[in-house]
Amino acid sequence: MGRGYIVEEAVEGYLTKLCVQTTVPVTGLLVGQSSLQRDFVVLASRTPQRDDSTPATLDSLDKEWITEHARQVSRMLPGGLHVLGVFIITDGEAKDIQTSLRQLLHAVENLVSSEHLWSPADDDVTERIMLHVNRKTRRIVCKTFDVKDPKSMAKPADWKYQSGVCSSWSMVSCCLHVDVLVPLPDNSSDIEVLDTCLKGSLKAWAQQIETGVVLFDGVKLLEDAEFMAGQKRSARQNYSAQLLIKPLDQRSLRDVTQPCGGSLSLSGTIHSRAYVHNNKPKAKQVEKLLKRDLVSTLVARVRMLVEELLASEESSRGDTERLCLPQRVFTPINTSGPLSVCDYQFSGEDTTELTERLKEMLDIDVTDEDLDTSQEMAQVTQRTRTEELEEGSAPGRERQKNNYFGVAMASVIALLATAISVLYLNDI
């Protein structure tokens, strides 16, 4: 027998409901956490229906739409949760669509991992689930593929429902101050060129995060130490963490020069959290989950903000415009444990938009009261653009032709639980 999957009972109820409600093939994502011994599945989310498309058939799975759904969902998952695989509900047999689902699994992994800026670890689990449910008989076929091996063969897996899968999972949280300067290319209006530049620069910061030292409740644990040593496995715990980062070696940067058309300045404090299973996790595994969440939440917000800037520049050159940086908002999911997912809220977005997006992407029902906006307070930012500054308008500066625009991420001040951020864009 291959890998074992311990599945939250709520997932069984969700899949059964989909079998009853629909007569056409239904696809979706399986979300959970991997460990060396087994995986835990805590959430299933169907693929949203495309407005301009007909219902899926076995011969016409919309792989582009399904993989984009996986990318969006991945941005909404805190540390410790990720897309484990895909499911499909049909009237046929699993063998009829195994090849298509194998290709789909590889496509999902390729797109989701393209946004990862961290280095793969030796203990990363690379097997992903292909789950088939027969709508009429409710028969389940669960197989896995190694997504890092294009020639991998399907392996049978054990799919077992259980109540309270994550009821005793622990949460680790921390806040990290960010101060990153990213040089931008001359052609910063080209989204592909800009995206490549951002990824290259942010990867250096991500490497700093990877090599940082994590203190759990003020204590540095040995890598192979059991994270919850001395604690009851049935007891849910919350831990606070602190990440200590070494500054970049300035000697390696001294002789580096490159032409650029501007710079992106990221400064402030971001909130991160990771959920940890209670199956004797090691300290190094918990560190990895927390660090990867820090990197992914910053990268996701930078991408969304740059897209917003590029869109607004096309229509508001020469204006001063007030924008809002995306705020990380959490909401619990309907499980027996403490798990939450997140979304990002821009200024002017009503909470109704958040609840609708959570429903569309994750197929969960959320009310305004469920939204936790206290971790990062929404703040107003300002963007100013001037075509040319007159002499004397900027004392101590000569005229330049470079573009500078800076972004300060939501900066959380611990004592006041508030945030301050500033965004400015100048053609000088």
Side-chain angles (χ1 to χ4, degrees), residues 391-423:
E391 283 190 12
S393 61
R397 290 188 181 181
E398 298 179 355
R399 289 190 187 181
Q400 302 176 43
K401 295 183 179 180
N402 293 335
N403 300 325
Y404 297 87
F405 70 96
V407 181
M409 302 304 297
S411 176
V412 181
I413 302 174
L415 293 178
L416 300 179
T418 59
I420 300 174
S421 47
V422 177
L423 172 67

Coordinates of all heavy atoms in Angstrom, one line a residue, residues 391-423:
E391 N 13.2 73.1 -10.9 CA 14.5 73.3 -10.2 C 14.1 73.9 -8.8 O 13.3 74.9 -8.8 CB 15.4 74.2 -10.9 CG 16.2 73.4 -12.0 CD 17.3 74.3 -12.6 OE1 17.6 75.3 -12.0 OE2 17.8 73.9 -13.7
G392 N 14.7 73.4 -7.8 CA 14.4 74.0 -6.5 C 13.3 73.3 -5.8 O 13.1 73.6 -4.6
S393 N 12.5 72.5 -6.5 CA 11.4 71.9 -5.8 C 11.8 70.7 -4.9 O 11.1 70.3 -4.1 CB 10.3 71.4 -6.8 OG 10.9 70.4 -7.7
A394 N 13.0 70.2 -5.2 CA 13.6 69.1 -4.4 C 15.0 69.5 -4.0 O 15.9 69.3 -4.6 CB 13.6 67.8 -5.2
P395 N 15.1 70.2 -2.8 CA 16.4 70.7 -2.4 C 17.4 69.6 -2.3 O 17.1 68.5 -1.8 CB 16.1 71.3 -1.0 CG 14.6 71.6 -1.0 CD 14.0 70.6 -1.9
G396 N 18.6 69.9 -2.8 CA 19.7 69.0 -2.6 C 19.7 67.9 -3.7 O 20.6 67.0 -3.7
R397 N 18.8 68.0 -4.6 CA 18.7 67.0 -5.7 C 18.9 67.6 -7.0 O 18.4 68.7 -7.3 CB 17.4 66.2 -5.7 CG 17.2 65.3 -4.5 CD 15.9 64.5 -4.7 NE 15.7 63.6 -3.6 CZ 14.7 62.8 -3.6 NH1 13.8 62.7 -4.6 NH2 14.5 62.0 -2.6
E398 N 19.6 66.9 -7.9 CA 19.6 67.3 -9.3 C 18.5 66.7 -10.1 O 17.9 65.7 -9.6 CB 21.0 66.9 -9.9 CG 22.2 67.6 -9.3 CD 23.5 67.1 -9.9 OE1 23.4 66.2 -10.8 OE2 24.5 67.6 -9.5
R399 N 18.2 67.3 -11.2 CA 17.2 66.6 -12.1 C 17.6 65.2 -12.5 O 18.8 65.0 -12.9 CB 16.9 67.4 -13.3 CG 16.2 68.7 -13.1 CD 15.8 69.3 -14.4 NE 15.2 70.6 -14.2 CZ 14.7 71.3 -15.2 NH1 14.8 70.8 -16.5 NH2 14.2 72.5 -15.1
Q400 N 16.7 64.3 -12.4 CA 17.1 62.9 -12.9 C 15.9 62.4 -13.8 O 14.8 63.0 -13.7 CB 17.2 62.0 -11.7 CG 18.3 62.4 -10.7 CD 18.3 61.5 -9.5 OE1 18.2 60.3 -9.6 NE2 18.4 62.1 -8.3
K401 N 16.2 61.4 -14.5 CA 15.2 60.9 -15.4 C 14.7 59.5 -15.0 O 14.0 58.8 -15.7 CB 15.8 60.7 -16.9 CG 16.1 62.1 -17.5 CD 16.6 61.9 -18.9 CE 16.8 63.3 -19.5 NZ 17.3 63.2 -20.9
N402 N 15.2 59.1 -13.8 CA 14.7 57.8 -13.3 C 13.4 57.8 -12.7 O 12.9 58.9 -12.2 CB 15.7 57.3 -12.2 CG 17.1 57.0 -12.8 OD1 17.2 56.7 -14.0 ND2 18.1 57.0 -12.0
N403 N 12.7 56.7 -12.7 CA 11.4 56.6 -12.0 C 11.6 55.9 -10.7 O 12.4 54.9 -10.6 CB 10.5 55.7 -12.9 CG 10.2 56.3 -14.2 OD1 10.1 57.5 -14.4 ND2 10.1 55.4 -15.2
Y404 N 11.0 56.4 -9.7 CA 11.1 55.8 -8.4 C 9.7 55.5 -7.8 O 8.9 56.5 -7.8 CB 11.8 56.7 -7.4 CG 13.3 56.9 -7.8 CD1 13.6 58.0 -8.6 CD2 14.3 56.1 -7.3 CE1 14.9 58.2 -8.9 CE2 15.6 56.4 -7.6 CZ 15.9 57.4 -8.5 OH 17.2 57.7 -8.8
F405 N 9.4 54.3 -7.5 CA 8.1 54.2 -6.8 C 8.3 53.2 -5.6 O 9.0 52.1 -5.8 CB 6.9 53.8 -7.7 CG 6.9 52.5 -8.3 CD1 6.2 51.5 -7.7 CD2 7.5 52.2 -9.5 CE1 6.1 50.2 -8.2 CE2 7.5 51.0 -10.0 CZ 6.7 50.0 -9.4
G406 N 7.8 53.5 -4.5 CA 8.1 52.7 -3.3 C 6.8 52.2 -2.7 O 5.7 52.8 -2.9
V407 N 6.8 51.1 -2.1 CA 5.6 50.5 -1.5 C 6.0 50.1 0.0 O 7.0 49.5 0.2 CB 5.2 49.2 -2.2 CG1 3.9 48.7 -1.6 CG2 4.9 49.6 -3.7
A408 N 5.2 50.6 0.9 CA 5.4 50.1 2.3 C 4.3 49.2 2.7 O 3.1 49.6 2.6 CB 5.5 51.3 3.2
M409 N 4.6 48.0 3.0 CA 3.6 47.0 3.3 C 3.0 47.4 4.7 O 3.5 48.1 5.4 CB 4.1 45.6 3.4 CG 4.8 45.1 2.1 SD 3.7 45.2 0.7 CE 2.4 44.0 1.2
A410 N 1.8 46.9 4.9 CA 1.1 47.2 6.2 C 2.0 47.0 7.4 O 2.5 45.9 7.6 CB -0.2 46.3 6.3
S411 N 2.3 48.0 8.1 CA 3.2 48.0 9.2 C 2.5 47.9 10.5 O 1.9 48.8 10.9 CB 4.1 49.3 9.1 OG 5.0 49.3 10.2
V412 N 2.6 46.8 11.2 CA 1.9 46.5 12.4 C 2.7 47.0 13.6 O 3.8 46.5 13.8 CB 1.5 45.1 12.5 CG1 0.7 44.8 13.8 CG2 0.7 44.6 11.3
I413 N 2.2 47.9 14.4 CA 2.8 48.4 15.6 C 2.2 47.6 16.8 O 1.1 47.7 17.0 CB 2.6 49.9 15.8 CG1 3.2 50.6 14.6 CG2 3.3 50.4 17.1 CD1 2.9 52.1 14.6
A414 N 3.1 46.8 17.4 CA 2.6 45.8 18.4 C 1.7 46.4 19.5 O 0.7 45.9 19.8 CB 3.8 45.0 19.0
L415 N 2.2 47.5 20.1 CA 1.5 48.0 21.2 C 0.1 48.6 20.9 O -0.9 48.5 21.6 CB 2.3 49.1 22.0 CG 3.6 48.5 22.6 CD1 4.4 49.7 23.3 CD2 3.2 47.5 23.7
L416 N 0.1 49.3 19.7 CA -1.1 50.0 19.3 C -2.0 49.1 18.4 O -3.2 49.4 18.2 CB -0.8 51.3 18.5 CG 0.1 52.3 19.3 CD1 0.4 53.5 18.5 CD2 -0.7 52.7 20.6
A417 N -1.5 48.0 17.9 CA -2.2 47.1 17.0 C -2.7 47.9 15.8 O -3.9 47.7 15.3 CB -3.3 46.4 17.7
T418 N -1.9 48.8 15.3 CA -2.3 49.6 14.1 C -1.2 49.5 13.1 O -0.2 48.9 13.3 CB -2.5 51.1 14.5 OG1 -1.2 51.6 15.0 CG2 -3.5 51.3 15.5
A419 N -1.5 50.0 11.9 CA -0.5 49.9 10.8 C -0.4 51.2 10.1 O -1.3 52.0 10.0 CB -0.9 48.8 9.9
I420 N 0.8 51.5 9.6 CA 1.1 52.7 8.8 C 1.8 52.3 7.5 O 2.8 51.5 7.6 CB 2.0 53.7 9.6 CG1 1.2 54.1 10.9 CG2 2.3 54.9 8.8 CD1 2.1 55.0 11.8
S421 N 1.4 52.8 6.4 CA 2.1 52.5 5.2 C 2.0 53.6 4.2 O 1.1 54.4 4.2 CB 1.6 51.2 4.6 OG 0.2 51.3 4.5
V422 N 3.1 53.8 3.4 CA 3.1 54.9 2.5 C 3.5 54.4 1.1 O 4.4 53.6 1.0 CB 4.1 56.0 2.9 CG1 4.2 57.1 1.9 CG2 3.8 56.6 4.3
L423 N 2.9 54.9 0.1 CA 3.2 54.5 -1.3 C 3.4 55.8 -2.1 O 2.6 56.7 -2.1 CB 2.1 53.7 -1.9 CG 2.1 53.4 -3.4 CD1 3.3 52.4 -3.6 CD2 0.9 52.7 -3.8

